[in-house]
Each structure stands twice: as structure tokens, then as C-alpha cells.
């Protein structure tokens, strides 16, 4: 059983805080199992967006973990990220949006191995 989204988000924000990275919940989703999208603002007009990894990347030995994939290999203009998030919310109104700010682009997420 996977950790509830609200608990995962609280732990993630705590991790960011301990590393000196500002983070906040921009949109609360479903408490139990809402998908979590993480935007990392680079504070220069660009950002990275990390979305939930497809179920096919999950290992049977670690079914409770949350893995993410970047939507692009390089930072994108923030307005492009915002357009993508708007589309995601239209598709999944139960989704969470978490935003952090870090010039170095640190995300502290477990990325899926492709």
C-alpha cells in the first residue's frame, strides 16, 4: 500500500526545508491517492516539472515507492510548465501541485530508471 499523498507531500516539503529549499503546496489534491506534480522553479524564468512515473517502471519489490520523471531533459520556460499543469488539472482534478524554488534545480525526488 502506498503512502497517502498528503503524508508524502508533507514529508517531501520537510526534506526540502532541511536542505534550505523553499517549497509550498500550490494545490491540494485528494488526500489519499492524488497524483503529485512537482515544479522546481530555477528563479530565472525557467523551471523543471516532474510528473508521476508510469506504473510500468515500478518494481514488484518496491510497490509503495513514488517515482517521478521529468517532462523534459532541460528546464523549460515557466509559462510552458504552467500550461502543462493546467492541462493535467483538467484531466485529473484530484492532483496535487507542489512548487519549490532552487537556483541549482535540486528536486530530492526518486527518479524512475528508464
Amino acid at each position: 500500500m502506498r503512502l497517502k499523498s498528503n503524508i508524502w507531500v508533507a514529508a517531501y516539503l520537510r526534506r526540502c526545508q532541511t536542505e534550505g529549499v523553499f517549497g509550498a503546496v500550490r494545490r491540494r489534491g485528494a488526500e489519499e491517492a492524488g497524483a503529485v506534480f512537482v515544479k522546481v522553479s530555477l528563479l530565472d524564468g525557467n523551471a523543471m516539472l516532474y510528473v508521476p512515473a508510469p506504473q510500468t517502471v515500478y518494481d514488484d519489490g518496491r510497490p509503495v515507492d513514488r517515482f517521478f520523471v521529468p517532462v523534459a531533459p532541460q528546464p523549460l520556460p515557466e509559462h510552458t510548465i504552467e500550461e502543462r499543469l493546467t492541462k493535467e488539472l483538467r484531466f485529473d482534478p484530484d492532483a496535487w501541485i507542489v512548487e519549490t524554488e532552487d537556483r541549482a534545480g535540486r528536486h530530492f525526488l526518486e527518479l524512475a530508471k528508464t
Side-chain angles (χ1 to χ4, degrees), residues 26-30 34-39 48-54 68-72 76 79-98:
R26 272 191 35 198
R27 184 176 191 286
R28 292 183 64 85
V36 179
F37 295 85
V38 177
K39 175 183 171 187
M48 291 291 293
L49 179 61
Y50 296 90
V51 300
F68 293 83
V69 293
V71 297
L76 298 171
H79 68 86
T80 303
I81 300 293
E82 292 303 321
E83 289 170 4
R84 171 71 185 263
L85 288 171
T86 300
K87 289 178 187 176
E88 292 290 349
L89 289 175
R90 267 190 249 130
F91 177 75
D92 182 6
D94 291 333
W96 290 71
I97 298 175
V98 177

Side-chain angles (χ1 to χ4, degrees), residues 2-25:
R2 188 177 291 168
L3 198 61
K4 292 180 180 181
S5 295
N6 63 331
I7 295 171
W8 185 92
V9 167
Y12 176 71
L13 290 174
R14 170 82 53 152
R15 168 73 197 278
C16 291
Q17 181 182 19
T18 62
E19 297 291 339
V21 172
F22 173 77
V25 175

